[in-house]
């Protein structure tokens, strides 16, 4: 029997008996090897952890009476810092699966609902594919789901079969079967070592390249148009399709629902290239609006996004006919559409305070001013770390407000976007030193929380040498490497730096 423990660093205050806390008084290895061990590691103050906590507890309750040795556990990662370091926990919540007491190769899990956790745990405990012994069971199995995958192997211990089991273990949203019965080979007209995907109407046999097989299965298990919901979100972002075309509608309005048909009709040619996603602005999709700078009353509308580069695109005027939708998607893929950058209007008093307010429309004018040294904080209004940093950033602005060649600024990155500058975490800091055609970010070291901000301790020649090294390292105007909150800002501390003072 496989004993497994799913451990989550990041869930606090759960307290139910179905989930067990690990404490320093217990041996971690010993707890892992006990089939009854539950684990969950957490940061009690984390909002995401608090949201996951009831789902994690519910999953534990479902699994606790099963005999498969599947247990959940929790650890307060803010207290058990040695464990956090050992397993590379830098954010919360993180879920890790430990199998048979092995602590060196835990498996990460990204699901966030009880059913997904339970389904994933059961699949990992195995078997990942049902053994089909006869024709009657095979027919029943194939008819049981909209999509099933069956591997036909002469030897179930072969390398090809083991690769199939590995794929099945990871693709938990798809039902897998396997057989080595000659009568089933004949029934479905396949040769040994063939994998077939059955989607109501059986689709052709597949080769056994593991990566291609896994991708094929994921792609064909997805609906042509996926509605964005908490249940579908892991499928959408787990499909590894970087291009998404989003249709924003209000599903309570009949006129909006009529658009859906033409949107669906445009999708088939783009399977595997573009994921078509439906956003209900009157449902769970409402949370997506802010990310695109939209309001619910602007629906129906479409947006195209590459989730890897974070570049967004929009039609000049929204057209929802099938041909127009397809032409727009193809034009973006062909590089014929320029990215759409969000921007607020420039506030009238943007430069009247120590910390200047930047938006998309005035960013280049200010940040790329060759006569100024500009330090910009990119933030999100809802971000806890950003709120903690706010008074420190104001202090920095006060310190340098009388220096004409130094600007301390902030930009709300949730509603303002900059060409060739992708912000992936909050807060993110970028420093643009003065100089002709040399707008680059300089690296920042971490402030220990005790010294003054912007402490100037370098001699002139030392400062010039450091600036020149940084400029040579990065090298061209407008180029800037991301510096995230994990690099610059921990526990309320700001990255220390040296600003040139004239």
């Amino acid at each position: 029997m496989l004993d497994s423990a799913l451990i989550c660093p990041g869930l606090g205050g759960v307290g139910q008996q179905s989930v067990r806390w690990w404490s320093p008084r217990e041996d971690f290895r010993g707890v892992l090897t006990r089939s009854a061990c539950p684990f969950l590691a957490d940061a009690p103050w984390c909002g995401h952890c608090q949201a996951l906590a009831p789902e994690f507890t519910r999953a534990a309750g479902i699994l606790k009476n099963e005999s498969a040795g599947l247990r959940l556990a929790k650890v307060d990662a803010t207290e058990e810092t040695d464990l956090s370091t050992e397993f590379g926990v830098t954010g919360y919540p993180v879920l890790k699966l430990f199998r048979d007491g092995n602590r060196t190769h835990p498996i990460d899990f990204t699901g966030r609902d009880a059913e997904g956790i339970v389904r994933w745990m059961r699949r990992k405990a195995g078997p990942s594919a049902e053994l089909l012994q006869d024709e009657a069971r095979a027919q029943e199995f194939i008819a049981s789901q909209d999509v099933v995958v069956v591997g036909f192997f002469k030897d179930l211990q072969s390398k090809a079969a083991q690769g199939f089991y590995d794929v099945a273990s990871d693709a938990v949203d798809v039902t897998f079967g396997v057989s080595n019965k000659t009568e089933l080979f004949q029934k479905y007209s396949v040769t040994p070592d063939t994998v077939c995907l059955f989607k109501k109407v059986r689709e052709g046999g597949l080769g056994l390249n593991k990566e291609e097989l896994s991708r094929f299965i994921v792609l064909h298990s997805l609906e042509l148009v996926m509605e964005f919901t908490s249940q579908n979100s892991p499928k959408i972002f787990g499909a590894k399709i970087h291009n998404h075309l989003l249709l924003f509608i209000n599903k309570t309005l009949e006129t909006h629902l009529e658009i859906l048909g033409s949107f669906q009709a445009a999708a088939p040619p783009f399977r595997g290239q573009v994921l078509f996603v439906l956003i209900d602005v009157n449902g769970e999709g409402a949370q997506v609006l802010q990310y695109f700078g939209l309001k619910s009353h602007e629906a129906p509308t479409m947006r195209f996004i590459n989730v890897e580069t974070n570049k967004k695109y929009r039609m000049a005027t929204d057209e929802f006919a099938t041909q127009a939708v397809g032409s727009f998607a193809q034009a973006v893929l062909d590089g014929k559409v320029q990215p759409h950058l969000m921007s607020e209007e420039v506030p009238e008093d943007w430069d009247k305070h120590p910390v200047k307010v930047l938006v998309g429309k005035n960013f280049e004018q200010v940040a790329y001013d060759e006569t100024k040294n500009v330090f910009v904080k990119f933030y999100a209004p809802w971000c806890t770390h950003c709120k903690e940093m706010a008074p420190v950033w104001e202090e920095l602005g006060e310190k340098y407000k009388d220096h004409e060649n130094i600007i301390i600024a902030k930009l709300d990155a949730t509603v303002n976007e900059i060409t060739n500058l992708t912000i992936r975490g909050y807060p993110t800091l970028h420093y643009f030193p003065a100089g002709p055609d040399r707008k680059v970010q300089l690296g920042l070291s971490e402030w220990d929380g005790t010294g003054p901000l912007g402490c100037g301790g370098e001699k002139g020649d030392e400062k010039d040498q450091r600036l020149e090294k940084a400029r040579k390292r990065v090298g061209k105007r407008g180029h800037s490497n991301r510096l995230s909150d994990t690099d610059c800002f921990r526990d309320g501390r700001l990255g220390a730096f040296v600003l040139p003072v004239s």
Side-chain angles (χ1 to χ4, degrees):
M1 179 176 65
L2 172 67
D3 291 336
S4 303
L6 181 62
I7 303 181
C8 179
L11 295 185
V14 178
Q16 285 82 351
Q17 294 181 354
S18 300
V19 180
R20 172 176 179 160
W21 277 100
W22 179 82
S23 71
R25 296 186 298 274
E26 300 180 87
D27 173 63
F28 187 77
R29 182 182 300 276
V31 174
L32 281 184
T33 56
R34 292 200 293 269
S35 63
C37 81
F39 261 145
L40 178 159
D42 73 351
W45 44 260
C46 170
H48 295 298
C49 301
Q50 293 166 8
L52 177 58
E55 295 296 314
F56 196 80
T57 301
R58 190 156 64 89
I62 295 171
L63 292 171
K64 70 176 181 179
N65 294 322
E66 297 190 0
S67 59
L70 305 177
R71 300 293 182 265
L72 305 188
K74 59 184 178 180
V75 173
D76 184 342
T78 63
E79 293 291 334
E80 310 307 330
T81 54
D82 289 343
L83 289 179
S84 297
T85 300
E86 178 180 354
F87 299 117
V89 176
T90 58
Y92 314 110
V94 174
L95 287 80
K96 293 182 178 290
L97 175 68
F98 294 83
R99 304 174 65 172
D100 296 328
N102 185 339
R103 68 189 289 162
T104 59
H105 295 89
I107 304 170
D108 288 338
F109 177 60
T110 58
R112 290 293 184 265
D113 64 274
E115 288 73 18
I117 292 172
V118 170
R119 185 167 59 250
W120 189 79
M121 288 285 285
R122 286 171 175 164
R123 180 65 64 87
K124 290 299 180 181
S128 58
E130 179 180 336
L131 181 61
L132 306 177
Q133 298 278 27
D134 54 52
E135 183 177 328
R137 178 54 193 149
Q139 290 180 331
E140 181 183 358
F141 176 81
I142 291 170
S144 67
Q145 303 288 335
D146 288 339
V147 176
V148 300
V149 177
V150 180
F152 299 89
F153 300 97
K154 182 178 180 180
D155 179 6
L156 295 181
Q157 303 303 316
S158 67
K159 183 178 180 180
Q162 293 307 308
F164 177 80
Y165 283 123
D166 289 344
V167 171
S169 179
D170 291 333
V172 297
D173 292 317
V174 180
T175 301
F176 288 80
V178 65
S179 182
N180 61 350
K181 298 300 181 181
T182 303
E183 64 181 274
L184 294 185
F185 295 176
Q186 296 172 348
K187 164 68 177 176
Y188 295 103
S189 302
V190 297
T191 57
D193 293 351
T194 297
V195 176
C196 285
L197 182 143
F198 295 85
K199 193 174 182 180
K200 293 305 182 184
V201 177
R202 175 174 156 257
E203 300 193 10
L206 309 176
L208 287 172
N209 179 290
K210 182 177 176 181
E211 182 176 345
E212 292 177 356
L213 171 62
S214 179
R215 179 170 174 78
F216 182 91
I217 291 170
V218 169
L219 290 181
H220 285 266
S221 67
L222 297 175
E223 299 174 26
L224 279 172
V225 176
M226 299 286 294
E227 181 173 357
F228 181 86
T229 64
S230 56
Q231 184 176 359
N232 283 342
S233 178
K235 297 179 184 179
I236 291 172
F237 294 105
K240 298 181 180 178
I241 300 174
H242 297 312
N243 297 306
H244 294 181
L245 181 59
L246 283 61
L247 173 64
F248 295 81
I249 66 171
N250 185 332
K251 289 177 66 178
T252 66
L253 301 178
E254 188 64 32
T255 54
H256 286 204
L257 291 175
E258 292 173 357
I259 297 171
L260 185 55
S262 58
F263 187 71
Q264 291 173 323
F270 296 95
R271 185 188 285 275
Q273 289 183 288
V274 180
L275 192 59
F276 281 53
V277 182
L278 174 66
I279 307 294
D280 181 8
V281 301
N282 196 48
E284 290 188 64
Q287 60 186 295
V288 181
L289 288 168
Q290 183 178 359
Y291 186 70
F292 290 86
L294 292 171
K295 304 294 183 183
S296 60
H297 66 79
E298 296 181 75
T301 188
M302 284 192 301
R303 294 293 185 272
F304 190 111
I305 180 172
N306 182 294
V307 295
E308 184 177 41
T309 64
N310 202 39
K311 291 182 178 179
K312 306 179 181 74
Y313 305 83
R314 62 174 296 180
M315 282 183 165
T317 56
D318 283 317
E319 297 182 53
F320 303 107
T322 298
Q323 183 176 355
V325 173
S327 297
F328 172 61
Q330 190 61 54
V332 174
L333 294 177
D334 293 341
K336 297 178 180 178
V337 182
Q338 292 298 313
H340 170 68
L341 300 175
M342 297 189 299
S343 177
E344 297 177 293
E345 294 300 321
V346 180
E348 292 184 3
D349 62 345
W350 73 271
D351 60 347
K352 298 298 190 291
H353 303 283
V355 176
K356 313 308 178 187
V357 179
L358 302 186
V359 297
K361 293 182 177 181
N362 69 346
F363 177 83
E364 291 194 10
Q365 173 189 351
V366 178
Y368 296 160
D369 183 342
E370 296 174 349
T371 67
K372 309 291 185 184
N373 300 284
V374 184
F375 199 18
V376 184
K377 176 184 72 170
F378 296 82
Y379 72 97
W382 44 260
C383 169
T384 302
H385 292 311
C386 299
K387 293 176 181 177
E388 292 173 349
M389 178 186 276
V392 181
W393 205 248
E394 292 296 330
E395 175 188 339
L396 190 64
E398 285 287 341
K399 183 178 180 68
Y400 289 102
K401 66 180 181 181
D402 296 325
H403 293 80
E404 293 186 359
N405 67 332
I406 296 175
I407 293 177
I408 307 301
K410 63 182 179 180
L411 181 144
D412 180 351
T414 66
V415 288
N416 296 282
E417 296 173 318
I418 310 301
T419 303
N420 297 325
L421 189 59
T422 300
I423 306 301
R424 300 189 184 277
Y426 307 110
T428 292
L429 311 180
H430 287 279
Y431 176 44
F432 302 91
D437 201 31
R438 287 152 70 167
K439 280 296 176 181
V440 299
Q441 174 197 336
L442 299 184
L444 308 181
S445 59
E446 185 176 298
W447 180 46
D448 65 5
T450 59
L453 291 173
C455 48
E458 294 174 301
K459 296 179 181 178
D461 56 345
E462 293 175 343
K463 177 183 68 180
D464 291 342
Q465 291 175 10
R466 183 175 63 84
L467 295 178
E468 189 59 31
K469 286 181 180 179
R471 288 165 178 154
K472 287 181 179 179
R473 183 175 68 251
V474 186
K476 68 176 182 178
R477 178 189 176 104
H479 179 80
S480 184
N481 294 323
R482 171 178 174 264
L483 197 62
S484 71
D485 59 319
T486 54
D487 296 319
C488 305
F489 183 61
R490 298 186 181 93
D491 303 328
R493 296 178 295 178
L494 177 66
F497 58 99
V498 179
L499 288 177
V501 179
S502 57

